């Protein structure tokens, strides 16, 4: 049942309860629970294989959880009878790989979901695509093809594609890990702008400086579980769990 606007405003934008996921005999997520408030930027840290990306992919059912519940402003994401097409319009996702169609211009890459999913007419879809590209600072590249864009520009087109559907929540799965270091800053700047505009974001990344500066809350995962969470100040300056301490000392050199 869709929540009223008034009641939805009181609920977490995204809530994960008791999430479990296994691949064969490998248990990747073990009773993961978290919530993201409306307008909050939550940053997820952890070593490779800790379940971070799998948790994100479960949030829009790209991976099917074995157990647990996921709620989007109180509406079920998991369970029988969920309209996944409708849910995925409300949850934008940006991947490590840009996943752009090479034969389509930046504008047409952004327009595609608007035409196919939203069933918008061409003129409206084009206007919305240009608006989204402007939002990420790429209006002048609207007619450029992915092969003519830098990695950072391609990722910003991918962000624009997600934003064009006007999602309630944005999920970012290692959005800068495929980029050359000098291109990372432009993508992070777009994410800072989104945060300032009030977008709700759940971000998996190793960009520690960005996490310190931009996150409202930091979650540390290890071996499929949430080990510790707190403000960036708490996690980076005075982590309580030995595993968090060990991880941060290795990746930050502190």
């Amino acid at each position: 049942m869709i929540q009223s606007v008034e009641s939805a405003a009181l609920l977490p934008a995204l809530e994960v309860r008791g999430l479990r996921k296994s691949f064969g005999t490998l248990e990747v997520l073990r009773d993961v629970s978290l919530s993201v408030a409306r307008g909050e930027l939550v940053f997820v840290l952890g070593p490779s294989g800790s379940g971070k990306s799998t948790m994100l992919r479960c949030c829009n059912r790209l991976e099917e959880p074995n157990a647990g519940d996921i709620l989007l402003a109180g509406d079920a994401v998991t369970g029988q009878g969920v309209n996944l097409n409708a849910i995925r319009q409300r949850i934008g996702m940006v991947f490590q790989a840009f996943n752009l169609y090479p034969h389509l211009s930046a504008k047409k890459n952004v327009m595609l979901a608007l035409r196919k999913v939203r069933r918008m007419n061409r003129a409206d879809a084009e206007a919305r695509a240009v608006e989204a590209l402007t939002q990420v600072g790429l209006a002048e590249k609207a007619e450029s093809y992915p092969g003519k864009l830098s990695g950072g520009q391609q990722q910003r087109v991918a962000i624009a594609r997600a934003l064009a559907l006007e999602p309630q929540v944005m999920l970012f799965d290692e959005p800068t890990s495929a980029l050359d270091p000098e291109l990372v800053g432009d993508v992070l700047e777009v994410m800072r702008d989104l945060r300032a505009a009030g977008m709700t974001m759940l971000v998996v990344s190793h960009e520690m400086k960005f996490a310190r500066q931009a996150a409202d809350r930091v979650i540390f995962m290890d071996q499929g579980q949430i080990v510790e969470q707190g403000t960036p100040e708490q996690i980076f300056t005075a982590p309580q769990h030995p595993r968090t301490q060990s991880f941060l000392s290795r990746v930050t050199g502190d």
Side-chain angles (χ1 to χ4, degrees):
M1 180 179 175
I2 301 298
Q3 304 286 325
S4 70
V5 172
E6 293 80 6
S7 62
L10 302 175
L11 296 167
L14 181 68
E15 189 171 8
V16 175
R17 301 174 181 169
L19 194 64
R20 293 182 178 274
K21 175 64 180 176
S22 296
F23 295 101
T25 59
L26 178 63
E27 193 174 30
V28 179
L29 296 174
R30 300 186 289 161
D31 196 26
V32 171
S33 296
L34 62 89
S35 66
V36 183
R38 188 179 294 257
E40 189 178 29
L41 194 167
V42 175
F43 206 94
V44 185
L45 296 176
S48 297
S50 60
K52 308 181 301 297
S53 292
T54 299
M55 183 268 294
L56 273 196
R57 292 172 66 85
C58 284
C59 285
N60 67 356
R61 301 271 300 275
L62 286 175
E63 296 288 355
E64 285 294 330
N66 296 110
D69 297 301
I70 299 170
L71 302 170
L72 179 65
D75 297 328
V77 174
T78 48
Q80 298 294 319
V82 172
N83 183 338
L84 276 183
N85 190 44
I87 285 291
R88 285 174 177 161
Q89 290 182 56
R90 297 167 60 192
I91 306 177
M93 187 155 187
V94 178
F95 301 89
Q96 176 178 338
F98 318 128
N99 298 330
L100 301 178
Y101 289 99
H103 64 288
L104 297 178
S105 68
K107 181 174 68 179
K108 287 184 177 178
N109 265 283
V110 177
M111 287 175 62
L112 192 61
L114 296 171
R115 297 276 285 154
K116 299 287 188 182
V117 178
R118 283 281 180 88
R119 304 292 183 186
M120 292 175 69
N121 64 51
R122 183 174 297 277
D124 289 344
E126 185 169 4
R128 179 70 190 115
V130 171
E131 182 183 346
L133 287 167
T134 301
Q135 194 173 353
V136 301
L138 284 179
E140 78 284 359
K141 297 292 185 180
E143 302 300 335
S144 298
Y145 288 82
K148 298 297 184 181
L149 300 174
S150 70
Q153 289 170 333
Q154 290 184 60
Q155 189 62 291
R156 285 152 65 194
V157 173
I159 294 172
R161 178 178 56 192
L163 288 175
L165 292 171
E166 300 177 288
Q168 293 170 277
V169 176
M170 288 280 285
L171 310 176
F172 291 85
D173 188 11
E174 300 281 7
T176 61
S177 63
L179 302 179
D180 292 334
E182 67 268 23
L183 302 176
V184 168
D186 289 341
V187 172
L188 296 182
E189 190 60 37
V190 169
M191 295 171 70
R192 286 190 182 92
D193 290 344
L194 291 177
R195 179 187 184 277
M199 177 60 74
T200 304
M201 294 188 279
L202 184 59
V203 180
V204 168
S205 177
H206 291 290
E207 296 290 342
M208 301 295 172
K209 184 177 179 182
F210 179 72
R212 283 179 182 253
Q213 294 174 345
D216 295 296
R217 188 155 43 95
V218 176
I219 290 173
F220 178 74
M221 287 184 67
D222 189 42
Q223 297 183 354
Q225 295 179 307
I226 292 176
V227 172
E228 185 172 358
Q229 60 180 304
T231 65
E233 179 73 16
Q234 290 168 336
I235 297 299
F236 287 106
T237 305
Q240 299 300 302
H241 196 281
R243 187 65 189 92
T244 316
Q245 295 169 0
S246 172
F247 176 81
L248 289 175
S249 69
R250 288 173 180 268
V251 298
T252 65
D254 294 340

